[in-house]
């Protein structure tokens, strides 16, 4: 995957995750109300840059870890 694709994927994925998680957690905290609906955009605006910054660090680490896990043979488990 080239760097442009990785960057765009991170933008889209973090947008979806920040919108979903800020909405769900706000709903759990306040319940379905106008307060929840009014607060969701602010929570999303705070959550999205944090999620994006974290993925900039977590993506390479996750890729390296998953590569190491998939490369290492585990006793008793056959490859599919």
């Amino acid at each position: 995957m080239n760097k442009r694709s990785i960057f765009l994927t991170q933008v889209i994925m973090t947008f979806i995750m920040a919108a979903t998680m800020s909405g769900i957690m706000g709903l759990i905290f306040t319940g379905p109300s106008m307060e929840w609906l009014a607060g969701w955009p602010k929570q999303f605006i705070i959550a999205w840059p944090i999620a994006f910054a974290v993925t900039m660090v977590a993506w390479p680490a996750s890729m390296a870890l998953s590569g190491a896990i998939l490369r290492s043979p585990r006793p008793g488990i056959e490859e599919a």
Side-chain angles (χ1 to χ4, degrees):
M1 188 179 271
N2 66 39
K3 288 185 181 196
R4 252 176 92 180
S5 295
I6 291 171
F7 182 78
L8 183 57
T9 299
Q10 286 177 303
V11 168
I12 294 167
M13 184 58 76
T14 56
F15 183 92
I16 293 167
M17 292 303 297
T20 303
M21 293 305 296
S22 61
I24 291 171
M25 296 310 292
L27 183 62
I28 290 169
F29 182 71
T30 63
S33 64
M34 288 307 292
E35 179 186 358
W36 163 70
L37 202 52
W40 188 0
K42 181 180 178 185
Q43 292 169 351
F44 169 74
I45 289 169
I46 294 167
W48 184 79
I50 294 168
F52 183 78
V54 169
T55 63
M56 295 300 284
V57 174
W59 180 290
S62 298
M63 293 296 288
L65 183 58
S66 65
I69 290 168
L70 293 175
R71 277 191 302 273
S72 66
R74 289 174 275 168
I77 299 177
E78 295 181 27
E79 286 190 31

